[in-house]
Structures are given as C-alpha cells and as structure tokens.
Amino acid sequence: MTAIPVTIGRRMLQPAVSAPSGVFAAASTAPVAAVGAPLVDTHGRVHRDLRISLTDRCSLRCTYCMPEQGNEWLAKTSILTLDEIVRIARVAAADEITTFRLTGGEPLLRSDIVEVVRRLSAITGPDGRPVEIAMTTNGIRLPELLPALVEAGLTRLNISIDTLRRDRFHALTRRDRLDDVRDGIAAAGASGLRPLKLNAVAMRDVNDDELVDLVEFAIAHDAQMRFIEQMPLDAGHTWDRSRMVTQDEILTALSARWTLTPVPGRGGAPAARWTLDGGPHTVGVIASVTAPFCGDCDRLRLTADGQLRNCLFSTTEYDLLPILRAETSPVVEPVETRIDGMLRSCVHGKLPGHAINDPSFLQPARGMNAIGG
Ligand code: SAM
Ligand code: SF4
C-alpha cells in the first residue's frame, strides 16, 4: 500500500490514509504478516530505535516543553491502547527495530505502564533476541514503580533533572517536586539498571552555573550526566537562540574542573561523550542545534495518538489510527502489512537533516510533550 503523508498545521490531524479495512485492532495474537527487512531510508540510514510516547500528560510543566496553562491535550479517545502499541511494536521488531524507548509526556503517568513494559519486553526480533526497553522519565513515580518495572523487563533509564536547587526547580518546572525527582534518582541508582543517564537542558541564566554540580551529582549516583542544547520544541514557541547554551560553552565550563577527552565510537547515539580526567566517568552533550548528528540518526517516533514521525522537527506525520481502528470493510491487506507499509513510508520520507539552522525552519505544531522526547 502507499501511505500518504500529511503535513500538519495544527495539533489534531486528518487521517493520513483513508480508513481502508474492516479490521478493528484488538489484542494481536496473530503472527506478524509483514515480517520485514530493515527500515533503511533513502540516505542509507538503518533504523533501530523506536521512541514510543505513552501520553502527552505530565506531572511537571517545564518551561522549555509545556505552557503553564492552556495546553491543548490530545483527545483521550485517540490515545493508543496497550494492544495497539504492542501491535505496532511487533511489526517494528520484525523490521529489525531493536530498542523501544518509552517517553512522553511523563510515561510513568500511564496507569498500565508496568503492563506496557511487560508486553513490549516479550517481543523478539527476527534473530530471536528480545528487544531492549528503555525509558526517559522525570523520575517522580520511580520509587513506587521501579521494582515492578524492572521485574517486567525494563532495561535502561534516563532521568531528567535540570537543577539541584529547589527554588530554581520550582520556577523551571512550575512544580515544587525536586525532592521527588531526587528520590526517583536515588531509587534508580540503587537499582541494577546501568548505564543510568541523567539529562539536563542547559539554559542561560537558569542553570548554566550548575553544570559542574550536576556532573558531580550524577557521579555520586553512578550515573552519566548528559547536557542537552535547548531545542525549538516548546509548546509556547518561545525558543530563542540567544538563550541557548551551546555545546562549546558547556565543554568550556566543565573543562575548568576536569580534563575532557572525547570518547570515540558514538555510532547513532545522540550524545557525544567525553571522559572526565581520563575516566571511568563520562559526560555527554546532545548538541542538536550547534552540532547536528542527523547523518547517523537511527530513530523513529510514535506519538501517543498513533502518529509516526521520522524526526523530532518534522512537520509531517504518518497516521496509524485509521489502520488500527478502521471499522468498515473490505479487508484488503492484513493490518500488520499496512503498519509495515506505513513504517516504510515514514522512513522513506525522512530528510537528510532537521534544518533548525535554516532561515526557513518551521517549528512543529506539537510541543515536545506531545511528540515524545
Ligand atoms: N517527562 C520525561 C522527562 O522529562 O524525562 C520524558 C519526556 S521529555 C519530553 C524527554 C526529554 O526531552 C527530557 O530530557 C527533556 O529535558 C527534553 N526536552 C523537552 N523539551 C526540550 C527542548 N525544548 N529542548 C531540549 N530538550 C527538551
Ligand atoms: Fe514533563 Fe518531561 Fe516536558 Fe518536563 S520535559 S514538562 S517532565 S514531559
């Protein structure tokens, strides 16, 4: 089938394909019909990583991600069910996706999160190996959920913490929850999940005087600190390049405390890494704006409302909902075949780079919380 990409100008989309079949997506026990080949784009990039956003809701309101009020939430009826997520994931794994990263919004707000991890971790690729289940979280619900998540098959964790100061955290996230995040990081540190990564968006006059402190905090929790250049993905569209702390500035600040040595062999990883005083500890920088790494990108994204995206910054989405929920006949092809076709259309449409630095760049309509970071 040919999937028709749709360019969005607002949050809620028209279907990208007309509802084609009489199959209503239920719990899929059927074999994956579209046992696939790898998802290779027209620039030769092989896709191995699917970021699955589980919700656009969040317990925080980080200024760079969500507005304080008036967020336009995704319609509850459009949110993918667990069975629908698993159905898509099985096809993706057959197409040699090897890692599912659960994100959001805040993925731990999803009430069936443990079951999501359990069902996804049972999926194997064509080589019989289980997929890897990673999660990016604000950590707030980790103390209560982490044992069950690990038992269910979670293998890796990234936790976001932008500041160690309570007043700053409150101002930045509009919630007084720093202690809860710290408890979540402590729980993760005490767990066996490694490598454990902590993420901070570096912001001028907000937390750029805490970069060394954050790295030391990460080391104390046997974690790797990673700084992210702020990207134009806030729901309020208030990103200002001049406010962005660059990779060069981050490295300069850290060099005052440690000797930094580049770690080779980055592969498709978004973070470039440096050892601190020769190791073993390292720090990472995700420099999407000043040092884009699009040439090695192996990531696809699935939004909580069933839209496939080939780039964080894309304005084109590929709608899986009509495939999963079509209620009219005739059945032309198995649903799995159509999901596979949509994955391939999405990969085929991937541009060589994100063009943030191009004057014609248009910020996507969705905020980061609705895309899935
Ligand atoms: N709620 C979870 C969390 O905060 O880790 C998962 C979702 S959040 C969208 C994923 C990551 O995106 C976080 O590390 C967050 O700091 C980052 N992020 C959000 N908006 C960003 C922006 N405008 N620029 C750079 N990173 C951003
Ligand atoms: Fe929530 Fe994560 Fe966005 Fe902060 S960055 S508002 S924690 S989704």
Short mmCIF file of all heavy atoms in Angstrom, two decimals, residues 58 64-65 103-107 136-138 160 162 199 201 228-231 233-234 368-369 373, ligand 1:
data_model
loop_
_atom_site.label_atom_id
_atom_site.label_comp_id
_atom_site.label_asym_id
_atom_site.label_seq_id
_atom_site.Cartn_x
_atom_site.Cartn_y
_atom_site.Cartn_z
N CYS A 58 1.64 15.30 31.91
CA CYS A 58 2.86 15.32 32.71
C CYS A 58 2.58 15.89 34.10
O CYS A 58 1.66 16.69 34.28
CB CYS A 58 3.95 16.14 32.03
SG CYS A 58 5.54 15.92 32.86
N TYR A 64 10.56 24.88 28.93
CA TYR A 64 11.04 24.64 27.57
C TYR A 64 10.22 23.58 26.82
O TYR A 64 10.51 23.25 25.69
CB TYR A 64 12.52 24.22 27.58
CG TYR A 64 12.82 23.09 28.56
CD1 TYR A 64 12.42 21.79 28.31
CD2 TYR A 64 13.50 23.35 29.74
CE1 TYR A 64 12.68 20.78 29.20
CE2 TYR A 64 13.77 22.34 30.64
CZ TYR A 64 13.36 21.05 30.37
OH TYR A 64 13.60 20.06 31.26
N CYS A 65 9.21 23.04 27.51
CA CYS A 65 8.47 21.91 26.94
C CYS A 65 6.97 22.19 26.85
O CYS A 65 6.35 21.94 25.83
CB CYS A 65 8.73 20.68 27.80
SG CYS A 65 7.91 19.17 27.28
N THR A 103 8.49 7.12 26.41
CA THR A 103 8.64 8.51 26.79
C THR A 103 7.28 9.17 26.81
O THR A 103 6.24 8.52 26.84
CB THR A 103 9.66 9.20 25.85
OG1 THR A 103 9.83 10.55 26.25
CG2 THR A 103 9.27 9.14 24.39
N GLY A 104 7.26 10.50 26.78
CA GLY A 104 6.00 11.22 26.81
C GLY A 104 6.26 12.69 26.53
O GLY A 104 7.23 13.02 25.86
N GLY A 105 5.49 13.52 27.17
CA GLY A 105 4.84 13.50 28.44
C GLY A 105 5.60 12.64 29.46
O GLY A 105 6.75 12.33 29.27
N GLU A 106 4.93 12.36 30.51
CA GLU A 106 5.57 11.56 31.55
C GLU A 106 5.07 10.11 31.45
O GLU A 106 3.91 9.83 31.81
CB GLU A 106 5.29 12.16 32.93
CG GLU A 106 5.84 11.36 34.07
CD GLU A 106 7.27 10.87 33.86
OE1 GLU A 106 8.13 11.62 33.36
OE2 GLU A 106 7.53 9.69 34.19
N PRO A 107 5.93 9.19 31.01
CA PRO A 107 5.45 7.82 30.76
C PRO A 107 4.95 7.12 32.02
O PRO A 107 4.06 6.27 31.94
CB PRO A 107 6.69 7.11 30.20
CG PRO A 107 7.87 7.95 30.60
CD PRO A 107 7.36 9.35 30.66
N THR A 136 12.60 7.25 29.26
CA THR A 136 13.00 8.59 29.68
C THR A 136 11.89 9.13 30.56
O THR A 136 10.73 9.15 30.15
CB THR A 136 13.20 9.51 28.46
OG1 THR A 136 14.20 8.93 27.61
CG2 THR A 136 13.69 10.88 28.89
N THR A 137 12.23 9.56 31.77
CA THR A 137 11.22 9.92 32.75
C THR A 137 11.68 11.09 33.61
O THR A 137 12.89 11.32 33.72
CB THR A 137 10.90 8.70 33.66
OG1 THR A 137 10.07 9.12 34.75
CG2 THR A 137 12.15 8.06 34.22
N ASN A 138 10.72 11.77 34.22
CA ASN A 138 11.11 12.78 35.21
C ASN A 138 11.37 12.14 36.57
O ASN A 138 11.74 12.84 37.52
CB ASN A 138 10.09 13.92 35.30
CG ASN A 138 8.72 13.47 35.81
OD1 ASN A 138 8.59 12.51 36.56
ND2 ASN A 138 7.68 14.20 35.40
N SER A 160 15.42 12.95 33.94
CA SER A 160 15.70 14.37 33.68
C SER A 160 15.77 15.15 34.98
O SER A 160 14.88 15.03 35.82
CB SER A 160 14.61 14.96 32.78
OG SER A 160 14.55 14.23 31.57
N ASP A 162 17.21 19.19 35.84
CA ASP A 162 17.88 20.37 35.27
C ASP A 162 18.60 21.20 36.31
O ASP A 162 19.44 22.04 35.96
CB ASP A 162 16.85 21.27 34.57
CG ASP A 162 16.19 20.57 33.40
OD1 ASP A 162 16.89 19.87 32.66
OD2 ASP A 162 14.97 20.73 33.24
N ASN A 199 19.59 13.59 32.44
CA ASN A 199 19.52 14.60 31.38
C ASN A 199 19.24 15.97 31.97
O ASN A 199 18.37 16.10 32.83
CB ASN A 199 18.36 14.31 30.42
CG ASN A 199 18.56 13.07 29.59
OD1 ASN A 199 19.67 12.56 29.47
ND2 ASN A 199 17.48 12.56 29.04
N VAL A 201 18.62 20.04 30.39
CA VAL A 201 18.67 21.05 29.35
C VAL A 201 19.47 22.23 29.93
O VAL A 201 19.11 22.74 31.00
CB VAL A 201 17.26 21.51 28.94
CG1 VAL A 201 17.34 22.61 27.88
CG2 VAL A 201 16.44 20.33 28.43
N ILE A 228 21.75 18.77 27.33
CA ILE A 228 21.03 18.89 26.06
C ILE A 228 20.97 20.36 25.67
O ILE A 228 20.60 21.20 26.49
CB ILE A 228 19.58 18.35 26.19
CG1 ILE A 228 19.57 16.95 26.80
CG2 ILE A 228 18.88 18.35 24.84
CD1 ILE A 228 18.15 16.42 27.10
N GLU A 229 21.34 20.67 24.44
CA GLU A 229 21.09 22.03 23.95
C GLU A 229 19.58 22.22 23.80
O GLU A 229 18.88 21.35 23.26
CB GLU A 229 21.76 22.22 22.58
CG GLU A 229 23.26 22.37 22.65
CD GLU A 229 23.90 22.64 21.29
OE1 GLU A 229 23.21 22.47 20.25
OE2 GLU A 229 25.08 23.01 21.26
N GLN A 230 19.12 23.37 24.27
CA GLN A 230 17.69 23.63 24.19
C GLN A 230 17.25 23.73 22.73
O GLN A 230 17.88 24.42 21.92
CB GLN A 230 17.33 24.91 24.94
CG GLN A 230 15.82 25.11 25.03
CD GLN A 230 15.44 26.26 25.93
OE1 GLN A 230 16.29 26.83 26.62
NE2 GLN A 230 14.18 26.62 25.91
N MET A 231 16.16 23.05 22.42
CA MET A 231 15.69 22.99 21.03
C MET A 231 14.36 23.73 20.88
O MET A 231 13.62 23.88 21.85
CB MET A 231 15.50 21.52 20.61
CG MET A 231 16.79 20.73 20.63
SD MET A 231 16.51 19.00 20.17
CE MET A 231 16.04 18.27 21.71
N LEU A 233 11.25 23.40 20.57
CA LEU A 233 10.16 22.43 20.65
C LEU A 233 9.20 22.72 21.79
O LEU A 233 8.40 21.88 22.15
CB LEU A 233 10.75 21.01 20.83
CG LEU A 233 11.45 20.45 19.59
CD1 LEU A 233 12.23 19.19 19.95
CD2 LEU A 233 10.44 20.15 18.49
N ASP A 234 9.29 23.90 22.36
CA ASP A 234 8.37 24.24 23.44
C ASP A 234 7.00 24.54 22.87
O ASP A 234 6.86 25.11 21.79
CB ASP A 234 8.89 25.46 24.21
CG ASP A 234 9.09 26.66 23.30
OD1 ASP A 234 9.77 26.50 22.27
OD2 ASP A 234 8.55 27.74 23.61
N MET A 368 7.11 19.42 22.70
CA MET A 368 7.89 18.21 22.98
C MET A 368 7.08 17.17 23.75
O MET A 368 7.21 15.97 23.52
CB MET A 368 9.14 18.62 23.78
CG MET A 368 10.13 17.51 23.99
SD MET A 368 10.92 17.01 22.46
CE MET A 368 12.62 16.86 23.01
N ASN A 369 6.23 17.61 24.66
CA ASN A 369 5.46 16.65 25.47
C ASN A 369 4.51 15.82 24.61
O ASN A 369 4.15 14.70 24.99
CB ASN A 369 4.65 17.37 26.56
CG ASN A 369 3.54 18.21 25.98
OD1 ASN A 369 3.77 19.09 25.16
ND2 ASN A 369 2.31 17.95 26.40
N GLY A 373 10.07 12.95 23.69
CA GLY A 373 11.48 13.33 23.58
C GLY A 373 12.42 12.15 23.67
O GLY A 373 11.99 11.03 23.87
N1 SAM B 1 8.87 13.59 31.03
C1 SAM B 1 10.04 12.85 30.71
C2 SAM B 1 11.30 13.62 31.01
O1 SAM B 1 11.20 14.81 31.24
O2 SAM B 1 12.36 13.00 31.00
C3 SAM B 1 10.06 12.35 29.27
C4 SAM B 1 9.62 13.30 28.21
S1 SAM B 1 10.64 14.72 27.98
C5 SAM B 1 9.84 15.48 26.61
C6 SAM B 1 12.13 13.98 27.30
C7 SAM B 1 13.34 14.83 27.31
O3 SAM B 1 13.15 15.92 26.44
C8 SAM B 1 13.72 15.41 28.67
O4 SAM B 1 15.06 15.08 28.96
C9 SAM B 1 13.57 16.88 28.47
O5 SAM B 1 14.50 17.62 29.22
C10 SAM B 1 13.82 17.02 26.99
N2 SAM B 1 13.25 18.24 26.40
C11 SAM B 1 11.99 18.68 26.46
N3 SAM B 1 11.85 19.84 25.78
C12 SAM B 1 13.06 20.15 25.28
C13 SAM B 1 13.57 21.22 24.49
N4 SAM B 1 12.79 22.22 24.09
N5 SAM B 1 14.87 21.20 24.16
C14 SAM B 1 15.68 20.20 24.56
N6 SAM B 1 15.26 19.15 25.30
C15 SAM B 1 13.96 19.13 25.67
#
